[in-house]
Amino acid sequence: MVHRTFSPFLLYIATAMVISGWWYVAFAQPMTNPAPPTPFTTRTPLHLPSPQYLSYLSPMARSDIQKALAGDVALMTKLMTEWDVDARILENYDLIGVRRLSRQGFIKAQMIGRQLERNIEEELVALRRKFCEEEVCDDEGERFVLDAPLRRYLPQTYISASFLLALTEPENIVAIPSGLRDQTELYPPSLTNRIPLDIDRYNAESIFQSKPEVAFVAHYSLPSTLQVLRSQGIPLFTLKSINTLPEIHSAITRVGHVIDRPLEAELLTLFMESAMLAIDNHVLAMGRTLSEEHGTPKVMFLNYHAQFSLPTPRTLTGQLLDRMTAHHQFAFVYSDQASSDDWTIPMEQEKLVRHDPDCLVIASSNSKALQAQIRATPSFSELSANKEEKIYFVDGNVFDSPTQYIVLAYYDLAKVLVDATSPYAR
Amino acid sequence: MGLSRKNLPFYLLFGLILLVGTCVTLTTGATPWPEVWKGVLGHFSGDSMGWNPLLDERLPRLIVLLCTGASLAVSGAILQSLFHNPLASPSVLGISCGGCLMVTMVFILEWHFHYPYAVPLAAFAGCLLTLLLVYGLSYRKGGVQIAALVLTGIAISSVLLAIQGAISYALRDRWEIIQTITEWEAGSASDRSWKHVHMQLPLTIVGLAGSWIYCKEINILALGDEEATNLGVEVAKVRWRLFLCVALLTGGAIAAMGIIAFFGLVLPHLIRKITGPDNQRLIPLTILAGSATLLALDLFLRTFGIRALTIGNISAILGGIFFLLMLFGFRRESGLMRASSC
């Protein structure tokens, strides 16, 4: 037989050489269609004289918005004032579609801000008590009677921890999920280090000894953990899935009432609303490039986890895209195969090339590395977005985050769209 | 030779499925066919060197599906014959667990961003290293016993699964990595490119060639080690080479498509019912049937736009159901035989 004529050693060597030789020929040679190096983040803006009103608008820095969303009351009221003025300036220049917080909402926010900044702690306690609801319902329908203020809190989930870190002092929080400490860009160590304990089963006794007065849990919390908390006599406040902006506001408000911070919660929700409107106004003010004959730019937003997928309006990201579409003339590409049950639609490269968006926004947890990978993918070189240098990367951790930081996601989205389409982008 | 009059209808059937599946795969997609064909002609005439859906996505996907289906099916057939055990599959030696663990490490270290071939290389390397480990641990002075191999493989599988579970638990807060791993593990034929083809094809060719060359020896090994030795078969050497072929085939399949469960367990059973236990007939038809079946599954998912399941999920579900039906059929037959013998 054939195989008997070869010594085993030679057979293995020959086999290994065939395989490695094939790989060498296949992978060592340069690609026949090398993708041109694409500077994804830089682009020469068109040189057009910017409208005069742009020079009067507030700078709207992301870092300021993030700091305010973390609970900086003074900054919140300052920014809301600036944005209100921005809106009036734009209205003065007869821009159509300018929106701002209602007069009542704005006044309320300013009044709350002033009370929180000026009053001493004892007066604030009395004030909060005055505005606190008598009872609040959680998502399981459990009624929480708020006859006495609760002072020590245990957030079992990232969402509730995010709310609590913005609404109250870290010293009132008994423990946080350990993974929250890794998100240093949103939750700096200077804040999280003030909370000594992590939520894990080894700390159950320490957590119990810290005597939390309420635990914020979710429907996906481990049943055994919930049972232990109940047996320790700790009331559970359940926040189920938060999938829309109104649900985020409602959750913040209810959490605020439970922890005796109704004013802070009200201010935070008003600030979120004001920020979204301000972002809309800035997008409106920056206008859009592409003269009339170019039409509405086609924008595609993709998530990346091992493969690309399109978010549907069921997700928070999809709702942000819908909002951007409703208020500004961007045409977001959605799959015609999406059903009401889909959260995301896988997007194969052929479909991506077929859609050929004018602008491509990709959300990923590692944007820098993904850029290199995309450069090596031949199909991306076919895209108009690539040829026009309009492929943008945003932080995937912020998108679909059902916390107050969803505002940052909207900011990032607006920034890339303005950069892609505005002649005045800086 | 593999082809016999009795098997001919099945060859024709699977051949037809393969032919129709190939035509449908290559001609259907988001881009209309006239545009695709124009691009192809332009590519070959040198007018257009850009990315083409047919040449750069559909054709690589087709090749990967055919190779993976054939690889997994033949791997299962070989292992079932070698172990004399109908439950044997590529996972019994822990090969697929090893590949999966290596790919998990690549995702955690984010090497897949920096080195485009990290995932398929890791999958293949994991499969090969696991085979070497299992073989090394079960080697005794007299050689490798089948029972020791199976037990070692199961033990190594358990250890590797436990390690993977521990890693997943440690990363439970990093939801984006968990999502990436979950998507990869589910098995998919989407966005396969020529790099996947070039990674898998040499492994598949060598693996299938080795399987075919030794199919006569596999028949002899089914008689038992002593009998095989008496008939002139170098048992240890042949067995080692066959396991190496299985590692190459499984590694290539995992490298190209991720985990496709149950495929290597159920399909050889079905084909064995048609061809009988003779591996000279079994292996060729298994190659054809494996390719055709996986291609058909992929087309089924694409045609009906089923996004909730991947090809790995549906293979596991259908494979499990088929296996249960086969078991019930087997138990009924044994019951009837027992009743008639009484």
Side-chain angles (χ1 to χ4, degrees):
Chain A
M1 294 195 202
V2 172
H3 53 277
R4 285 187 181 163
T5 63
F6 289 100
S7 82
F9 186 68
L10 277 177
L11 190 63
Y12 297 131
I13 294 288
T15 307
M17 282 177 67
V18 163
I19 294 172
S20 32
W22 188 311
W23 285 348
Y24 178 78
V25 169
F27 298 131
Q29 284 183 356
M31 287 166 54
T32 52
N33 299 318
T38 307
F40 288 119
T41 54
T42 61
R43 129 173 213 281
T44 308
L46 296 175
H47 293 290
L48 288 175
S50 51
Q52 196 178 7
Y53 53 73
L54 283 181
S55 58
Y56 296 120
L57 296 182
S58 61
M60 196 151 203
R62 189 185 196 270
S63 54
D64 284 345
I65 297 176
Q66 181 176 332
K67 203 172 157 208
L69 289 169
D72 189 327
V73 169
L75 192 54
M76 275 195 242
T77 50
K78 173 177 172 272
L79 288 174
M80 289 169 79
T81 306
E82 284 181 6
W83 295 335
D84 192 70
V85 171
D86 286 347
R88 290 177 191 279
I89 291 172
L90 294 175
E91 282 169 347
N92 192 49
Y93 277 92
D94 298 325
L95 235 68
I96 296 170
V98 176
R99 299 189 302 151
R100 52 198 164 95
L101 204 60
S102 66
R103 181 186 165 82
Q104 188 186 4
F106 179 75
I107 300 291
K108 190 195 266 188
Q110 295 299 314
M111 285 169 65
I112 292 173
R114 288 180 188 186
Q115 293 284 4
L116 290 173
E117 284 175 66
R118 292 175 189 174
N119 284 337
I120 58 174
E121 188 57 32
E122 286 77 21
E123 287 169 0
L124 275 177
V125 167
L127 198 62
R128 287 168 184 147
R129 274 281 90 198
K130 186 180 162 190
F131 285 100
C132 206
E133 296 281 352
E134 286 178 5
E135 68 175 33
V136 169
C137 275
D138 70 358
D139 288 339
E140 288 286 346
E142 291 278 337
R143 293 179 118 107
F144 272 69
V145 176
L146 303 172
D147 46 10
L150 301 172
R151 296 278 176 247
R152 309 272 299 152
Y153 323 116
L154 177 62
Q156 250 254 328
T157 65
Y158 281 62
I159 298 169
S160 52
S162 183
F163 295 158
L164 288 174
L165 284 168
L167 296 176
T168 188
E169 292 74 34
E171 286 74 18
N172 294 339
I173 303 172
V174 165
I176 52 172
S178 56
L180 208 73
R181 297 180 195 275
D182 296 332
Q183 295 183 19
T184 51
E185 62 282 348
L186 287 179
Y187 311 104
S190 56
L191 193 67
T192 54
N193 286 346
R194 288 155 70 182
I195 305 165
L197 294 174
D198 287 341
I199 293 175
D200 67 48
R201 59 186 182 281
Y202 299 111
N203 283 338
E205 273 188 40
S206 307
I207 289 171
F208 175 65
Q209 280 166 8
S210 303
K211 295 187 176 28
E213 292 171 355
V214 62
F216 293 94
V217 300
H219 61 290
Y220 50 80
S221 298
L222 282 176
S224 54
T225 305
L226 299 182
Q227 184 57 39
V228 166
L229 290 170
R230 281 196 194 99
S231 62
Q232 289 171 346
I234 300 169
L236 305 181
F237 191 93
T238 306
L239 291 171
K240 282 190 174 174
S241 298
I242 299 176
N243 297 317
T244 64
L245 282 167
E247 284 174 0
I248 296 178
H249 289 179
S250 164
I252 291 173
T253 304
R254 284 181 293 148
V255 168
H257 281 274
V258 169
I259 66 171
D260 203 39
R261 293 284 198 272
L263 300 175
E264 286 84 343
E266 176 94 31
L267 180 60
L268 183 58
T269 56
L270 287 169
F271 176 77
M272 286 174 66
E273 194 184 336
S274 175
M276 303 277 281
L277 292 169
I279 292 168
D280 286 332
N281 289 342
H282 271 69
V283 174
L284 190 71
M286 295 297 270
R288 285 192 299 111
T289 188
L290 313 178
S291 55
E292 296 303 315
E293 64 251 26
H294 281 94
T296 307
K298 197 163 57 169
V299 183
M300 183 180 271
F301 187 103
L302 294 175
N303 292 317
Y304 180 76
H305 300 286
Q307 66 174 19
F308 291 99
S309 60
L310 210 56
T312 66
R314 224 175 150 194
T315 62
L316 275 169
T317 303
Q319 288 160 41
L320 294 181
L321 298 177
D322 273 351
R323 182 187 171 118
M324 195 58 79
T325 307
H327 298 303
H328 312 283
Q329 288 174 358
F330 293 110
F332 282 97
V333 175
Y334 284 116
S335 172
D336 49 7
Q337 295 173 328
S339 75
S340 58
D341 294 330
D342 291 320
W343 290 84
T344 58
I345 308 285
M347 180 56 61
E348 289 180 334
Q349 288 174 30
E350 185 179 343
K351 286 182 192 162
L352 179 58
V353 171
R354 187 77 196 131
H355 283 297
D356 194 24
D358 300 308
C359 172
L360 183 60
V361 186
I362 302 175
S364 161
S365 57
N366 192 335
S367 299
K368 279 186 188 161
L370 186 57
Q371 287 181 32
Q373 188 177 329
I374 282 178
R375 277 199 192 94
T377 308
S379 56
F380 278 85
S381 62
E382 298 295 311
L383 299 177
S384 301
N386 184 53
K387 291 170 189 165
E388 296 294 318
E389 298 171 18
K390 287 182 185 172
I391 297 184
Y392 298 90
F393 295 86
V394 292
D395 182 4
N397 289 326
V398 173
F399 281 83
D400 275 328
S401 164
T403 64
Q404 68 270 29
Y405 295 108
I406 196 67
V407 175
L408 295 180
Y410 197 56
Y411 179 97
D412 292 341
L413 181 64
K415 188 163 188 320
V416 300
L417 290 174
V418 161
D419 190 55
T421 60
S422 171
Y424 319 121
R426 298 186 280 277
Chain B
M1 197 21 206
L3 199 60
S4 72
R5 190 168 276 201
K6 183 188 156 198
N7 298 338
L8 189 58
F10 296 100
Y11 273 96
L12 290 173
L13 172 66
F14 286 118
L16 186 65
I17 294 172
L18 200 62
L19 186 64
V20 169
T22 300
C23 292
V24 174
T25 297
L26 293 179
T27 56
T28 55
T31 314
W33 177 249
E35 206 175 307
V36 169
W37 188 241
K38 190 178 161 194
V40 170
L41 293 175
H43 183 89
F44 285 114
S45 65
D47 292 336
S48 158
M49 297 305 288
W51 185 87
N52 180 272
L54 174 64
L55 298 175
D56 294 309
E57 189 176 342
R58 296 180 196 177
L59 188 55
R61 176 167 23 104
L62 173 71
I63 296 173
V64 160
L65 281 166
L66 297 180
C67 288
T68 303
S71 298
L72 292 175
V74 168
S75 300
I78 292 174
L79 288 175
Q80 285 166 13
S81 298
L82 286 178
F83 287 129
H84 318 301
N85 189 325
L87 290 178
S89 71
S91 59
V92 80
L93 289 178
I95 294 173
S96 43
C97 295
C100 201
L101 180 61
M102 290 290 275
V103 170
T104 301
M105 297 306 301
V106 165
F107 283 135
I108 293 167
L109 297 169
E110 294 187 342
W111 284 352
H112 57 299
F113 284 125
H114 303 289
Y115 310 107
Y117 315 118
V119 169
L121 267 176
F124 167 64
C127 291
L128 198 58
L129 288 170
T130 308
L131 174 70
L132 293 172
L133 180 66
V134 169
Y135 228 80
L137 287 174
S138 51
Y139 188 83
R140 298 286 178 268
K141 273 188 183 168
V144 174
Q145 301 297 321
I146 284 292
L149 207 54
V150 171
L151 290 172
T152 310
I154 291 171
I156 294 292
S157 257
S158 305
V159 170
L160 293 174
L161 280 171
I163 293 172
Q164 178 140 7
I167 292 173
S168 298
Y169 183 75
L171 292 173
R172 65 196 184 281
D173 288 323
R174 293 185 60 185
W175 61 269
E176 68 279 1
I177 290 185
I178 300 294
Q179 186 158 355
T180 301
I181 293 170
T182 304
E183 291 218 24
W184 178 82
E185 276 183 348
S188 172
S190 299
D191 288 342
R192 300 301 103 171
S193 66
W194 285 106
K195 86 171 187 226
H196 296 95
V197 173
H198 288 307
M199 179 61 62
Q200 185 182 22
L201 200 51
L203 301 174
T204 304
I205 290 172
V206 170
L208 291 179
S211 310
W212 173 242
I213 288 169
Y214 286 109
C215 57
K216 202 170 174 184
E217 277 80 354
I218 301 175
N219 287 343
I220 299 172
L221 282 169
L223 300 172
D225 289 5
E226 228 178 279
E227 280 290 334
T229 310
N230 291 340
L231 287 169
V233 174
E234 293 175 81
V235 172
K237 187 167 78 175
V238 169
R239 195 177 279 156
W240 162 248
R241 287 179 184 177
L242 284 167
F243 284 136
L244 201 53
C245 289
V246 167
L248 291 176
L249 292 170
T250 309
I254 294 177
M257 279 185 63
I259 308 289
I260 310 289
F262 260 100
F263 204 78
L265 177 61
V266 174
L267 199 62
H269 271 296
L270 292 171
I271 303 302
R272 201 173 283 112
K273 282 190 181 300
I274 298 167
T275 63
D278 181 3
N279 283 276
Q280 286 185 298
R281 292 200 174 114
L282 175 67
I283 285 180
L285 188 57
T286 303
I287 292 173
L288 185 63
S291 304
T293 307
L294 200 65
L295 183 61
L297 280 178
D298 182 66
L299 278 175
F300 173 75
L301 289 173
R302 283 176 186 278
T303 307
F304 292 101
I306 299 172
R307 285 184 291 274
L309 298 172
T310 66
I311 198 166
N313 300 147
I314 202 162
S315 163
I317 292 169
L318 292 178
I321 294 171
F322 266 113
F323 198 60
L324 280 171
L325 290 172
M326 277 165 42
L327 280 175
F328 287 138
F330 173 71
R331 278 169 65 179
R332 202 168 347 122
E333 278 173 19
S334 330
L336 283 171
M337 282 174 62
R338 233 181 280 124
S340 63
S341 68
C342 289

